[in-house]
Amino acid sequence: MNDAATRAKVTLTMDGSNRSVDLPLMPGTIGPAVADIRKLYADLGIFTYDPGYGGTAACESKITYIDGDKGILLYRGYPIEQLAEKSSFLEVAYLLLNGELPNAAQRVEFDRGVVRHTMVHEQLRRFYDGFRRDAHPMAVMCGVVGALSAFYHDSLDINDPEVRRISAFRLVAKVPTIAAWAYKYSIGEPFMYPRNDLGYAANFLYMMNAVPTERWVENEILTRAMDRILILHADHEQNASTSTVRLAGSTGANPFACIAAGIASLWGPAHGGANEAVLKMLGEIGHVKNIPDFLARVKGKDGHARLMGFGHRVYKNYDPRAKIMQQTCHEVLGELGIKDDPLLDLAQELERIALSDDYFVSRKLYPNVDFYSGIILKAMGFPTSMFTVLFAVARTIGWISQWKEMIEDPSQRIGRPRQVYTGPVQRDYIPVEGR
Ligand code: ACO
C-alpha cells in the first residue's frame, strides 16, 4: 500500500473556520481499514463519540475475523465451518492461543498440559458451601473463578511469559471442573473429580452427569456435539465480555481476575445469557398458534420484548454458527431418539415466520448462535441455568488468548475511554440549611 493510500484526510469545520487533520489509516489483512484518531485531541482538542463502540476499533488483533454482512467467521484465518467439522476443541484452543494449528507432537503436549491442570485446589471445594443451593451457577462461576487468584500466587506475574502460559492451561483446564461442580452443588449431588483419561468434552459431560454409584458410559455423538458447541463459542473477536477481559487486563490485573470479569459481562441476556432467554421465550410462547401475537408484541416494542436469539451487533446476515448449531441440533435429537420436539418445532416455525417478516428483514435480524444452542443443551440434559455457564467454559480460551495478545502488544496502554460531560458546570457548595 502506498503512502497516500495509508493516509486519510478528515476535514472538520469548527467555529466557522476550516481546520484539518491527517489521520493515518491502518489497513487490516481483510476487512475495513481503521483511522487512527489518537492525535485528534492533541491536534484539534476534540474527542470522538461512539457509545457501544459500534464504529471504534479498540485494539489490533490477529485472532478472530468476522464479516458480519457475509456471515463469515474465521479463527486465525480458518473458517468456523471447517474447524467445527474437522477439528477438536483442544486443537482450536491451541490455534487461538498460539496462532497456528499444532503438529502431532505439539498437539499431544498441549493436551497433556491441559489434563495436568484439571483438578482444583481441594480447599476451593469449600467455597461452594458458602453459596445458597439455589444460587445461579453464573454467580458461583464469578466467585470461584475469581478466587483462583487466591490459590495460584505463582500465576500472578503477568510479565513472565511462562506464567502466562501456565495461567492459560490452568484456566482452560479448571473452568469445566468449576462449572460442573456449580451444577452438582445446585442439585445436591457429590462432586465428580475430573477424569484425565477422557477427552476435554467427554470429561466435562462426565463431571456433569456421572454419579459415584453408577458406571458412566460415554456417548460419542453427544461428546462430539459438546465439542462442536465448545468450538463454536470459543472466540468472537471484540465482543462485550472479551472487551471486558481486555479492559480489566489493561490495568495489569491477574488473569483469573480478568476472566472472572469476563464471566460477569457474559452473564447478561443481551450477550451470553441469550441462550437461556431463548428457552424461556419459547416456553412463554408455548404454541405455534401464539407466534403472531408474540411477534406483534416484539414489533410493537411492548415492554421491550425482543425475539431472543435473533439479531447481532456484527452479523447482518445469518450467523454462521447458527447454521452449524441447527445441524447439530438435528443430530443430537436424532441420537436421543427425540422425533418430535415441540420446542424445536416452535423454534423452526418462529424462525420461518420472522425471516419472512419485513420488521426483521429490513433490520437484518437473523438467528444468532443462541437460537438453537438452548434446544440442544436442553435435550442433552443441561438445565437452562447452565447454558451461559457452558458458554463461559468455551469462551475461556478466547478470553485468555485475547488477554495474552494484549499483554504482548507493545502499544498496549491502560484502557481509559473519554466522555462528553453534560452535567452541571462548576458551582459552589451550599450548606444544608441554605438548600
Ligand atoms: N428482536 C426484535 N427487535 C430487535 C432485536 C430482536 N432480537 N434485535 C434488534 N432489534 C431491533 C431494535 O429494536 C432496533 O430497532 P429500531 O431501529 O426500530 O429501534 C434495531 O433492531 C437495531 O437494534 P439495536 O438494539 O440497535 O442493535 P444492537 O446491535 O445494539 O443489538 C443485540 C444487538 C443486543 C444482540 C440485539 O439484537 C438483541 O438484543 N438480540 C436479542 C438478544 C440476543 O439474542 N443476544 C445474543 C447475541 S449473540 C451472543 O452474544 C452470543
Side-chain angles (χ1 to χ4, degrees), residues 59-63 76 96-99 157-168 246 249-250 252 399-413:
C59 64
E60 186 184 327
S61 181
K62 295 181 168 56
I63 302 177
R76 301 281 190 183
L96 288 170
L97 198 59
N98 299 301
D157 179 8
I158 59 159
N159 296 316
D160 180 343
E162 182 56 14
V163 163
R164 294 199 291 273
R165 197 184 68 83
I166 292 194
S167 303
R246 278 186 178 258
S250 76
W399 289 329
I400 199 80
S401 303
Q402 300 266 357
W403 172 83
K404 180 172 168 287
E405 182 180 64
M406 181 198 64
I407 300 291
E408 291 169 4
D409 179 351
S411 67
Q412 186 267 325
R413 303 166 73 200

Side-chain angles (χ1 to χ4, degrees), residues 233 236 239 266 268-275 277-278 298-299 301 305-316 319 321 359-360 363-366 368-371 391 395:
H233 288 88
H236 214 227
N239 55 82
L266 184 74
H271 192 8
N275 48 17
V278 169
V298 168
K299 292 190 281 184
K301 307 232 163 74
R306 285 203 161 189
L307 177 50
M308 300 312 286
F310 257 67
H312 196 275
R313 169 59 61 81
V314 180
Y315 292 117
K316 300 304 168 196
D319 178 341
R321 302 168 301 170
Y359 175 93
F360 297 95
R363 287 172 178 77
K364 298 188 177 169
L365 300 171
Y366 291 87
N368 60 48
V369 68
D370 288 324
F371 194 67
F391 194 156
R395 186 54 61 85

Side-chain angles (χ1 to χ4, degrees), residues 122-413:
E122 193 60 16
Q123 221 171 311
L124 209 76
R125 270 182 74 111
R126 297 203 213 125
F127 274 57
Y128 287 81
D129 293 331
F131 291 101
R132 282 171 54 139
R133 292 266 177 201
D134 61 357
H136 195 289
M138 282 299 275
V140 178
M141 291 294 287
C142 291
V144 179
V145 173
L148 288 174
S149 8
F151 286 86
Y152 301 103
H153 294 139
D154 59 338
S155 273
L156 304 186
D157 179 8
I158 59 159
N159 296 316
D160 180 343
E162 182 56 14
V163 163
R164 294 199 291 273
R165 197 184 68 83
I166 292 194
S167 303
F169 278 121
R170 283 190 169 137
L171 277 155
V172 172
K174 291 181 202 307
V175 161
T177 312
I178 293 169
W181 286 9
Y183 171 58
K184 287 293 189 187
Y185 182 75
S186 74
I187 56 170
E189 282 187 3
F191 293 168
M192 300 301 289
Y193 284 88
R195 260 184 57 189
N196 294 349
D197 60 321
L198 295 171
Y200 191 85
N203 175 50
F204 181 53
L205 289 174
Y206 164 80
M207 290 189 291
M208 284 288 301
N209 299 318
V211 286
T213 46
E214 281 173 29
R215 202 167 77 82
W216 183 80
V217 183
E218 179 179 354
N219 177 320
E220 282 179 13
I221 297 208
L222 298 189
T223 299
R224 180 71 199 131
M226 175 52 58
D227 202 66
R228 197 178 284 169
I229 292 169
L230 295 174
I231 292 173
L232 294 182
H233 288 88
D235 195 49
H236 214 227
E237 53 121 302
Q238 309 310 320
N239 55 82
S241 57
T242 301
S243 300
T244 303
V245 170
R246 278 186 178 258
L247 198 53
S250 76
T251 69
N254 73 72
F256 306 109
C258 295
I259 301 303
I263 293 172
S265 171
L266 184 74
W267 193 356
H271 192 8
N275 48 17
E276 188 176 341
V278 169
L279 269 212
K280 198 159 158 263
M281 172 191 76
L282 292 175
E284 278 164 16
I285 298 172
H287 194 275
V288 171
K289 71 174 181 350
N290 300 327
I291 291 177
D293 277 356
F294 173 74
L295 290 183
R297 268 202 295 134
V298 168
K299 292 190 281 184
K301 307 232 163 74
D302 175 18
H304 308 289
R306 285 203 161 189
L307 177 50
M308 300 312 286
F310 257 67
H312 196 275
R313 169 59 61 81
V314 180
Y315 292 117
K316 300 304 168 196
N317 199 326
Y318 216 100
D319 178 341
R321 302 168 301 170
K323 280 194 193 135
I324 305 167
M325 232 14 140
Q326 190 184 29
Q327 180 198 333
T328 308
C329 189
H330 287 292
E331 281 169 27
V332 167
L333 297 187
E335 171 63 18
L336 295 173
I338 304 171
K339 290 212 173 53
D340 297 306
D341 180 38
L343 279 184
L344 180 61
D345 294 345
L346 186 56
Q348 283 181 321
E349 186 59 7
L350 192 54
E351 178 186 342
R352 193 190 63 74
I353 296 175
L355 289 181
S356 55
D357 185 313
D358 187 55
Y359 175 93
F360 297 95
V361 175
S362 62
R363 287 172 178 77
K364 298 188 177 169
L365 300 171
Y366 291 87
N368 60 48
V369 68
D370 288 324
F371 194 67
Y372 284 103
S373 64
I375 299 171
I376 308 178
L377 295 174
K378 181 168 181 287
M380 289 172 82
F382 283 88
T384 43
S385 61
M386 282 298 288
F387 292 0
T388 314
V389 175
L390 205 125
F391 194 156
V393 170
R395 186 54 61 85
T396 296
I397 185 60
W399 289 329
I400 199 80
S401 303
Q402 300 266 357
W403 172 83
K404 180 172 168 287
E405 182 180 64
M406 181 198 64
I407 300 291
E408 291 169 4
D409 179 351
S411 67
Q412 186 267 325
R413 303 166 73 200

